[in-house]
Amino acid sequence: MTQEPKFAISDPQSAIWQAVPCAYCQGTGRDRWELLSPLSLCSACGGRGSQLVQAPYRTCAHCAGDGAHPHLRVTCTTCHGLGVVYVPADAVPCGRCDGRGVDPQSEIDLACLLCGGSGWWSA
Ligand SMILES: [Zn+2]
Ligand SMILES: [Zn+2]
Ligand SMILES: [Zn+2]
């Protein structure tokens, strides 16, 4: 039996995609809030318990890696429940939100308008 690389998959553009556990359901594949039924599938990962993210990636600043919006019972608008976001290697901490991912002008902690909520900015 050949040993396939477990997580790294290359696409035609040679981007590296890695499977990471879904933060929204903590890898269980079940709906985080069990609003409909305990058997409902996680809306972020579709029940797989993991999602693919392009590398390199970092913890999502907007939700601090939690996968849920800071105030709403929905997936984080920045990482879509993944808990991490793709950040280019040359990115610098976002000057608008100081790397927090939350827009300083927003009263309900919407994603930073400059970095999109990742907390990182690159040209
Ligand atoms: Zn999930
Ligand atoms: Zn997030
Ligand atoms: Zn920002």
Side-chain angles (χ1 to χ4, degrees), residues 9-49:
I9 306 161
S10 295
D11 76 4
Q13 281 83 42
S14 80
I16 307 221
W17 293 82
Q18 295 187 302
V20 298
C22 175
Y24 197 60
C25 64
Q26 299 178 320
T28 64
R30 297 293 175 202
D31 178 52
R32 181 180 177 116
W33 315 108
E34 300 186 354
L35 288 179
L36 298 174
S37 119
L39 297 177
S40 298
L41 296 179
C42 171
S43 55
C45 64
R48 290 187 301 274

Side-chain angles (χ1 to χ4, degrees), residues 13-106:
Q13 281 83 42
S14 80
I16 307 221
W17 293 82
Q18 295 187 302
V20 298
C22 175
Y24 197 60
C25 64
Q26 299 178 320
T28 64
R30 297 293 175 202
D31 178 52
R32 181 180 177 116
W33 315 108
E34 300 186 354
L35 288 179
L36 298 174
S37 119
L39 297 177
S40 298
L41 296 179
C42 171
S43 55
C45 64
R48 290 187 301 274
S50 65
Q51 301 189 65
L52 287 177
V53 63
Q54 189 177 346
Y57 57 83
R58 292 176 185 267
T59 301
C60 173
H62 192 197
C63 65
D66 183 63
H69 187 281
H71 295 305
L72 307 171
R73 283 190 164 197
V74 295
T75 50
C76 171
T77 52
T78 299
C79 64
H80 306 289
L82 197 50
V84 295
V85 280
Y86 166 69
V87 175
D90 62 350
V92 294
C94 175
R96 181 179 170 92
C97 64
D98 286 328
R100 294 185 308 121
V102 174
D103 198 273
Q105 305 277 311
S106 170

Side-chain angles (χ1 to χ4, degrees), residues 99-118:
R100 294 185 308 121
V102 174
D103 198 273
Q105 305 277 311
S106 170
E107 290 174 9
I108 53 167
D109 290 349
L110 293 180
C112 171
L113 294 176
L114 183 57
C115 64
S118 72

